[in-house]
Amino acid sequence: MSWSRIGRSTRTTSREISALPAPATLPDLLVDGLDVVFVGINPSVYSAERGRYFARPGNRFWPCLSRSVLSVRARTALGVEVLGPEHDRLLQQFGIGFTDVVKRPTPKASDLSAAELAGGVAVLLEKIARHKPRIACFHGITGYRAVHDLLVGKATPIALGLQTVQLDATRIFLVPNPSGANAHFTREDQVRWYDAVAHVIA
């Protein structure tokens, strides 16, 4: 053992982290004519490594979707009471898909630059125009803001719920970010917002 290494910190530096190869991203789960496409900010590294949307156990997406009327058809057909990350690809059969504003995985969404978010908008809008879901449901203001600013303008305030702007025939809905770190909304709130999406589809 080299004595010169004793006492040195073994923590990985930010420069070393940035030099590591990026994990493969999550595939878009999109087919034509879906009822709703959930649009996240970007995949977390945790989810990308597992190849599943919202794979982190503390995320509230799957528990709250499972309590919403939005998932009744899928849960009934699959014979389960609670959906999980392992069902993400199967949900396309029941009108539910997934994509992100930015596809680069990061440990935290805040690791994305404003330029990355803005740059992801054109690609995202092209995907939505191609597949024509009835609703594009954005999770959280952070991911939606770049889309909103392009379509509506920065001076217009953003509010949760059904948006006034559409992408051709696709309506836009904004719900809270289901991250477990989002202390502004409860699980009950999240379920109600998913129920509201279902009401628009009905």
Side-chain angles (χ1 to χ4, degrees), residues 14 28 34 48 88 96 110 135 167 173 180 184 195:
S14 59
D28 291 324
L34 292 167
D88 57 0
I96 298 174
S110 58
I135 292 178
L167 300 171
F173 207 103
H184 299 290
D195 285 347

Side-chain angles (χ1 to χ4, degrees), residues 100-119:
D100 304 280
V101 179
V102 176
K103 296 305 294 186
R104 182 174 75 88
T106 59
K108 306 184 301 296
S110 58
D111 294 330
L112 295 174
S113 68
E116 280 185 285
L117 287 167

